[in-house]
């Protein structure tokens, strides 16, 4: 019986969940992209759908346009490699960002995962101009391992009339 109790997995507290989300945002603001990648599971999906002309989000990243789509962490790793080696002309010079996270909600819990929803607002400064982006993110957090990891992240950009390149550090 003791073995069963020791093996029982405990759900992270709301405070721990928020701390995880704040850390992911801070790593983007600090441009610590290698550490940011540790927030993601190997088999993660990272998706920012586009809005259709009918004011609805696209529903299939394989058949419709997405603003950003990576089907696994390898895609995110490639993006981080280009950012770290200055092979991303769209990100030079680097933007200075500040992420704000609010309205964190736990939508569902399962034995090894939690579904979350939260709102975000990011300020980005580059070329002596400040831009802002805002939206809602939905994510599934794997809590079955040693440390939490994002299994799925869907980013809904609410201000989709963007006047510049949008990248992982903007959202």
């Amino acid at each position: 019986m003791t073995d069963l109790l020791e093996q029982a997995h405990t759900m992270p507290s709301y405070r721990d969940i928020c701390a995880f989300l704040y850390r992911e945002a801070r790593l983007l603001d600090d441009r610590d992209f290698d550490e940011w990648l540790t927030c993601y599971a190997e088999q993660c999906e990272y998706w920012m759908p586009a809005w259709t002309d009918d004011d609805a989000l696209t529903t299939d990243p394989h058949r419709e346009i997405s603003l950003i789509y990576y089907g696994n962490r390898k895609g995110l790793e490639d993006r981080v490699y280009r950012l770290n080696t200055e092979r991303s002309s769209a990100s030079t010079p680097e933007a200075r960002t500040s992420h704000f996270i609010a309205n964190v909600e736990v939508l569902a819990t399962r034995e090894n995962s939690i579904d979350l929803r939260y709102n975000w607002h990011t300020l980005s400064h580059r070329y002596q101009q400040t831009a802002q982006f805002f939206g809602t993110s939905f994510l599934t957090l794997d809590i079955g391992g040693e440390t939490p990891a994002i299994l799925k992240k869907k980013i809904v950009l609410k201000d989709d009339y963007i006047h510049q390149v949008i990248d992982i550090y903007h959202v």
Side-chain angles (χ1 to χ4, degrees):
M1 182 68 163
T2 304
D3 290 340
L4 287 176
L5 291 174
E6 289 175 359
Q7 292 175 3
H9 185 70
T10 59
M11 286 287 164
S13 68
Y14 180 79
R15 181 179 172 167
D16 292 338
I17 290 167
C18 290
F20 178 87
L21 297 174
Y22 299 153
R23 178 177 178 268
E24 183 204 7
R26 177 182 49 81
L27 293 169
L28 289 171
D29 288 341
D30 292 348
R31 298 189 68 83
D32 191 351
F33 299 124
D34 291 322
E35 188 64 23
W36 174 77
L37 283 171
T38 67
C39 296
Y40 288 83
E42 292 292 329
Q43 68 278 18
C44 71
E45 180 184 62
Y46 187 97
W47 181 35
M48 185 168 23
W51 290 93
T52 68
D53 290 339
D54 297 324
D55 204 29
L57 290 171
T58 58
T59 58
D60 185 348
H62 301 288
R63 295 183 183 174
E64 298 173 289
I65 292 176
S66 296
L67 297 175
I68 299 175
Y69 179 74
Y70 296 108
N72 57 48
R73 195 169 112 173
K74 293 286 185 208
L76 288 174
E77 290 170 358
D78 179 64
R79 184 70 194 124
V80 165
Y81 172 78
R82 287 183 279 138
L83 290 168
N84 284 340
T85 59
E86 298 180 1
R87 293 181 184 196
S88 173
S89 59
S91 300
T92 304
E94 296 178 348
R96 296 184 301 230
T97 61
S98 184
H99 289 73
F100 299 93
I101 295 174
N103 301 15
V104 177
E105 294 180 69
V106 176
L107 299 178
T109 59
R110 290 175 295 287
E111 184 177 340
N112 290 319
S113 64
I114 301 173
D115 292 335
L116 304 171
R117 173 193 171 126
Y118 61 93
N119 294 329
W120 53 269
H121 180 210
T122 304
L123 297 171
S124 174
H125 188 77
R126 182 176 168 203
Y127 292 127
Q128 300 176 343
Q129 293 186 348
T130 301
Q132 62 181 333
F133 305 94
F134 63 94
T136 302
S137 288
F138 300 85
L139 67 83
T140 300
L141 190 61
D142 178 0
I143 56 168
E146 201 171 298
T147 59
I150 298 170
L151 286 172
K152 186 175 186 177
K153 186 169 188 178
K154 178 181 174 184
I155 304 153
V156 178
L157 179 66
K158 301 287 179 90
D159 57 332
D160 64 320
Y161 289 100
I162 51 179
H163 304 286
Q164 66 182 55
V165 173
I166 191 159
D167 210 328
I168 58 172
Y169 47 83
H170 289 119
V171 295

